[in-house]
């Protein structure tokens, strides 16, 4: 049986850093845990927009119940208005374990846009 929960969260603004914290109700993220994930324009899309990982610093372990996803401005600059999907897999276990969620995040073009390097 699957269920869908809708939660309000921040929209990805093209060209700006994006951060989202995920909190679990149990201690699911021990210190030695490592995670990877992919960002795509749709679940069925063949093209990967961005790779996420603890090794690259785009999935940060905050504590045993909190992860933070970080998309750098260079990554969000490559997105198109609409939305993206992503999920995460824990890779330090044998076999790898999918965390059991898919996030659908809206993507918007902001009025104020800088070059990826930022600043006015």
């Amino acid at each position: 049986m699957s269920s869908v929960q809708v939660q309000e969260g921040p929209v990805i603004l093209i060209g700006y850093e994006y951060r989202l914290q995920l909190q679990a109700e149990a201690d699911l993220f021990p210190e030695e845990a490592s995670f990877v994930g992919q960002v795509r324009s749709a679940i069925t899309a063949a093209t990967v927009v961005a790779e996420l990982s603890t090794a690259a610093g785009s999935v940060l372990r905050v504590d045993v119940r909190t992860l933070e996803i970080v998309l750098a401005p260079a990554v969000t600059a490559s997105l198109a208005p609409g939305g993206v999907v992503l999920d995460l897999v824990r890779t330090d276990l044998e076999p790898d374990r999918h965390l059991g969620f898919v996030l659908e995040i809206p993507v918007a073009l902001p009025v104020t846009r800088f070059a990826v390097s930022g600043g006015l």
Side-chain angles (χ1 to χ4, degrees):
M1 183 170 124
S2 64
S3 67
V4 174
Q5 287 187 335
V6 177
Q7 300 289 325
E8 294 291 325
V11 171
I12 296 172
L13 295 174
I14 295 171
Y16 288 87
E17 181 179 78
Y18 177 79
R19 290 180 175 262
L20 177 67
Q21 285 196 352
L22 306 172
Q23 292 193 325
E25 293 181 358
D27 296 349
L28 299 179
F29 314 128
E31 194 168 335
E32 67 278 2
S34 59
F35 303 91
V36 299
Q38 295 179 334
V39 179
R40 297 176 190 261
S41 59
I43 291 175
T44 58
T47 303
V48 175
V49 176
E51 297 272 350
L52 306 173
S53 71
T54 48
S58 50
V59 180
L60 305 172
R61 182 192 162 279
V62 176
D63 58 41
V64 293
R65 293 189 178 195
T66 310
L67 289 180
E68 186 170 51
I69 295 169
V70 180
L71 299 178
V75 171
T76 66
S78 70
L79 302 178
V84 295
V85 295
L86 67 92
D87 62 7
L88 292 175
V89 174
R90 186 167 164 191
T91 57
D92 60 297
L93 301 173
E94 188 60 43
D96 295 341
R97 184 171 299 150
H98 192 279
L99 295 187
F101 68 83
V102 174
L103 299 177
E104 296 182 25
I105 306 170
V107 177
L109 185 63
V111 173
T112 303
R113 300 187 286 270
F114 302 117
V116 173
S117 61
L120 286 172

